[in-house]
Amino acid sequence: RVTEQSKFRSNKLSYEASGATAAVGQTDRIAWNWDTMLNFNRKFQAKHNLSATLGMSLSMDNFKEQVTEGINIDQWKAKDQALNSAPYSWFTYGESYSSMMSFFARAIYNYRERYVLTATWRLDGSSRFAKQNKWANFPSFAAAWRINQEPWFNIPVISMAKLRVGWGQVGKQAANPYYTITNYTTGYYPNHESESQKVTTVLTSNFPNLDLKWETTEQTNVGLDFGLWQGRVSFTVDAYYKLTKDLLQQKTIAGSSGLSNPYVNMGSI
């Protein structure tokens, strides 16, 4: 668990002929993570070995910010009376909450330390996406062949030779919370009838995107590991193909819209 808290206070942020500006603010952030795992390991007939893991992970991040600001304060006022003396003051508040739940499983089968098969599965759910796209599956598979363990292998100088192949997917939720729903913000405009007062408004600040979903990276790889002279010299050769699709990006829109750039799934790399 991580807890952070910060405060700032100032009674003279700026000076003007009509007075000073004062502000007081506070930010709070609480984040926690909880992991639970169950492990299994069993050997059969001295040839087969099976290990497995089942698990669940929960995480949460909560951020709050509040600021009170006043203008046209008499400069001779004491610090603790500065905001109270402001002819006009306003309060802003922001809060952000996100959470994630994951279920995962992994199984590894080993035959005579010669052939190794691995299968992994993840089911991730994020509060950053709408209901229909909240959950996504990310599987992966891998196999390894220890060639030097074969009975017919007889090259003394090579102490280890292993061929590896694998394929898998991982997800990314790199989008700000609440971009799948309509956000509102407050605005302040001058009141021409009184210089010390402003008109408060409430307006939408974004284009909600209900179709926003997980960014997915898929990779296929082939590798070869070699060890020579009882491991005194070793080297690895890898070849892979990696594709990231449904990239989470902010799409630029006209500033005259008055709205923030929306998050979209756009492009691949």
Side-chain angles (χ1 to χ4, degrees), residues 35-51:
D35 295 317
T36 302
M37 289 188 292
L38 177 65
N39 296 311
F40 169 84
N41 195 355
R42 182 77 180 272
K43 196 168 187 177
F44 304 91
Q45 301 176 359
K47 300 179 181 179
H48 311 275
N49 189 80
L50 179 64
S51 61

Side-chain angles (χ1 to χ4, degrees), residues 47-171:
K47 300 179 181 179
H48 311 275
N49 189 80
L50 179 64
S51 61
T53 300
L54 292 175
M56 180 185 70
S57 177
L58 296 171
S59 62
M60 185 275 290
D61 195 331
N62 191 11
F63 176 83
K64 297 179 181 180
E65 180 182 45
Q66 52 189 355
V67 178
T68 302
E69 188 171 356
I71 61 173
N72 295 344
I73 299 170
D74 293 334
Q75 295 183 19
W76 55 268
K77 288 290 185 182
K79 184 175 180 179
D80 59 346
Q81 300 176 7
L83 281 175
N84 291 334
S85 70
Y88 183 77
S89 62
W90 62 92
F91 174 79
T92 58
Y93 176 82
E95 181 173 353
S96 175
Y97 173 88
S98 64
S99 61
M100 182 175 172
M101 175 182 286
S102 300
F103 300 93
F104 52 89
R106 182 180 64 183
I108 302 175
Y109 170 72
N110 187 326
Y111 177 73
R112 289 183 177 269
E113 299 296 329
R114 190 181 304 167
Y115 311 111
V116 181
L117 299 175
T118 303
T120 304
W121 168 80
R122 286 186 63 96
L123 176 63
D124 293 326
S126 173
S127 65
R128 297 171 186 261
F129 303 112
K131 183 178 180 180
Q132 65 271 24
N133 295 317
K134 190 178 298 294
W135 294 92
N137 290 282
F138 302 105
S140 65
F141 305 94
W145 177 25
R146 299 179 187 271
I147 305 172
N148 60 296
Q149 296 291 340
E150 294 289 354
W152 47 262
F153 189 88
N154 187 21
I155 306 177
V157 70
I158 300 179
S159 55
M160 190 272 291
K162 181 170 68 174
L163 176 66
R164 300 174 283 104
V165 295
W167 171 89
Q169 293 180 333
V170 294

Side-chain angles (χ1 to χ4, degrees), residues 88 91-93 182-189 198-206 258-259:
Y88 183 77
F91 174 79
T92 58
Y93 176 82
T182 301
N183 293 189
Y184 295 91
T185 186
T186 55
Y188 304 97
Y189 298 93
K198 294 183 179 181
V199 177
T200 303
T201 62
V202 177
L203 62 156
T204 58
S205 61
N206 73 315
L259 304 175

Side-chain angles (χ1 to χ4, degrees), residues 228-253:
L228 306 177
W229 298 294
Q230 300 301 316
R232 290 184 177 88
V233 177
S234 62
F235 62 90
T236 298
V237 178
D238 275 291
Y240 68 92
Y241 175 77
K242 183 177 180 181
L243 174 66
T244 300
K245 54 186 179 181
D246 298 323
L247 288 166
L248 286 167
Q249 304 183 68
Q250 281 189 282
K251 189 171 185 179
T252 303
I253 60 176

